[in-house]
Amino acid sequence: MRMKNPILWATALAATLSGSMATGASTAAAAPIELASDCPPGFELADSNQCRLRTLYDGYKSLEDKGVGGLRTALPAVRDGFSPQQIDLGRYLFFDPLLSGDNSLSCASCHHPQLGFADGRATSIGIGGAEVPRAAPTLWNVGFLQKLFWDARADNLEQQMQGPLYSEVEMGSNPAQLLADIGGSADYRRLFGEAFPGHRGQPTLEQIYTAIAAFESSLVSLNSRYDQYAHGYQDALNEKEKEGLNIFRSFVARCAECHTPPLFTNQQIAVIGVNEPEGRKFDPGAAAVFDNPTWHGGFKVPSLRNIVKTAPYMHSGTFDTLRDAAEFYTLGRGHALPDEEKQRMILHWHIWEPDLSDEEIDRLVDFMGTLTDEMFIPRTPVRVPSGLAPIGNLPEALQIQARN
């Protein structure tokens, strides 16, 4: 939270120390919540009150003349142009459990800033303790993505967020309840009026979706040690990490062909032959969404940005460690699949037998560790307009518990 008002900051801090932030009385006594008038770090405020992303990658060309995994390659188009007020309103909504059917969960419950905007679980836990079928993917750099969900069924953030919001096993709300809950808050009505000037009356579903999309699009991670190296600082990586980068880009390992810099994903569906954890039914992935049998067991290639923060790995948390996930690719085509599934799957042609040594796998893991960057991590609000306790401050002990 970008608090510029020292009175507001002091009020919020005092309330936090007293342990009374969850009560309606403390919320009523606090200064009114104010939306930010400045853009998040990494964004520039344009004359039209729009936040535009600015990065060193803006000056680079496309992948064409740089080869596979080239360092100085351009980023794809990003969702930007939202106002500072819309982004900040989305931040409050993101951490507010008012958005769930029973006020027990926020978006941050499964996309926690202290857990790489994932949740540290093999598969997420939804309303009433319900098990969600898949893992929560990270939201870092989600504003660049053209397809969302593991099975790529959503085309934009506004469409994607309606899945968890209205799922009976995730947040358990519905459009009518969401409108009633948000519209029933005088603070939210005031803040929506500020974020969407010219609109009067109750907030609309489209405005709610826009605000959350604005905040999620501001979650940019492009300042890792890898990025420093890509921009010319040779000492940003040590020798083992540079060796890992060379293996990553090689035509033996072929990692960069799917996990393509600078986002470290090519945003495509890939069938790589990962089996489900013991006791779980096989997930057909994108095949079921697009009625495409060639995508049986196929999922969207995830970004490797901040990958060390988001264990366990794959769509259902099959691998506990990053090394296990990296080793999977060198053990041969379809080695992990039961025969009946192997016969149905058309594995991606990159999934072959690179026969990497243990040392080479270790170097790959070393390199992937250089993709960590949480410089622009947003602050969790100390309070939210609903008056409920914001969900997003996770003590260290609970972080460890979540990962177990």
Side-chain angles (χ1 to χ4, degrees):
M1 183 176 184
R2 298 167 296 284
M3 286 189 176
K4 299 296 185 181
N5 187 331
I7 298 176
L8 177 58
W9 172 251
T11 303
L13 179 60
T16 301
L17 293 176
S18 69
S20 62
M21 287 307 300
T23 67
S26 65
T27 301
I33 290 175
E34 298 177 359
L35 296 179
S37 58
D38 56 324
C39 296
F43 289 78
E44 179 182 71
L45 184 62
D47 293 339
S48 54
N49 199 37
Q50 294 180 333
C51 296
R52 298 293 183 184
L53 181 64
R54 298 289 182 258
T55 81
L56 290 177
Y57 287 101
D58 293 347
Y60 300 155
K61 296 181 179 180
S62 68
L63 187 63
E64 301 170 351
D65 58 350
K66 296 297 182 180
V68 174
L71 301 183
R72 299 188 181 187
T73 55
L75 288 160
V78 67
R79 287 286 305 274
D80 63 3
F82 299 103
S83 72
Q85 293 80 12
Q86 290 169 346
I87 294 171
D88 209 29
L89 174 58
R91 184 174 63 93
Y92 284 107
L93 290 166
F94 188 86
F95 291 96
D96 197 333
L98 185 68
L99 274 64
S100 62
D102 63 357
N103 296 344
S104 66
L105 300 169
S106 72
C107 303
S109 297
C110 291
H111 300 286
H112 200 286
Q114 295 178 18
L115 296 173
F117 279 99
D119 62 5
R121 299 180 182 274
T123 54
S124 296
I125 301 297
I127 192 167
E131 183 178 2
V132 179
R134 294 172 183 159
T138 180
L139 295 183
W140 281 118
N141 296 330
V142 73
F144 292 97
L145 301 184
Q146 305 303 311
K147 293 288 185 179
L148 300 154
F149 289 116
W150 279 102
D151 56 19
R153 67 184 183 270
D155 295 326
N156 54 59
L157 286 168
E158 290 86 346
Q159 181 183 356
Q160 181 277 327
M161 70 183 65
Q162 295 176 57
L165 277 173
Y166 305 139
S167 167
E168 293 181 356
V169 297
E170 294 189 57
M171 298 184 74
S173 188
N174 59 71
Q177 180 180 350
L178 184 62
L179 282 174
D181 289 345
I182 297 296
S185 164
D187 277 346
Y188 267 128
R189 293 196 302 273
R190 173 177 60 84
L191 296 176
F192 270 87
E194 295 175 11
F196 298 93
H199 174 84
R200 295 184 178 181
Q202 297 286 89
T204 68
L205 288 173
E206 289 71 23
Q207 290 172 343
I208 295 171
Y209 302 153
T210 296
I212 297 174
F215 170 68
E216 291 179 339
S217 296
S218 76
L219 304 177
V220 175
S221 177
L222 295 168
N223 296 305
S224 67
R225 288 194 294 117
Y226 161 80
D227 297 294
Q228 296 171 28
Y229 182 80
H231 298 319
Y233 179 44
Q234 296 297 307
D235 292 334
L237 306 186
N238 62 37
E239 291 306 312
K240 289 184 177 180
E241 292 163 345
K242 292 176 184 176
E243 182 181 346
L245 171 59
N246 289 334
I247 296 168
F248 187 89
R249 294 186 60 192
S250 73
F251 282 102
V252 175
R254 312 186 84 104
C255 307
E257 296 186 21
C258 289
H259 297 286
T260 309
L263 287 187
F264 288 86
T265 173
N266 62 5
Q267 306 200 48
Q268 297 177 10
I269 298 295
V271 181
I272 63 174
V274 174
N275 196 21
E276 301 295 331
E278 185 175 355
R280 291 185 63 88
K281 183 180 178 181
F282 190 83
D283 189 335
V289 175
F290 296 96
D291 193 25
N292 182 351
T294 68
W295 281 351
H296 182 71
F299 297 92
K300 188 165 64 70
V301 175
S303 172
L304 298 182
R305 291 280 181 171
N306 293 305
I307 192 68
V308 299
K309 297 284 188 175
T310 58
Y313 302 105
M314 305 297 178
H315 66 277
S316 55
T318 304
F319 302 117
D320 291 331
T321 71
L322 191 54
R323 195 188 191 285
D324 289 342
E327 184 183 41
F328 165 82
Y329 292 92
T330 197
L331 295 179
R333 295 180 62 84
H335 69 274
L337 294 170
D339 290 339
E340 62 272 18
E341 294 298 343
K342 188 184 301 186
Q343 294 170 4
R344 297 182 61 189
M345 296 178 74
I346 301 176
L347 296 179
H348 194 287
W349 67 279
H350 289 174
I351 307 303
W352 59 311
E353 296 182 20
D355 196 26
L356 300 179
S357 68
D358 287 344
E359 183 177 358
E360 287 172 322
I361 295 172
D362 288 340
R363 296 294 78 77
L364 283 175
V365 174
D366 290 338
F367 167 67
M368 287 187 280
T370 72
L371 302 176
T372 303
D373 162 45
E374 298 178 311
M375 181 180 297
F376 293 161
I377 193 168
R379 292 186 180 179
T380 301
V382 293
R383 58 192 177 97
V384 289
S386 68
L388 299 170
I391 293 178
N393 283 316
L394 193 63
E396 183 178 356
L398 292 182
Q399 291 188 45
I400 297 173
Q401 178 181 343
R403 292 192 181 280
N404 292 334

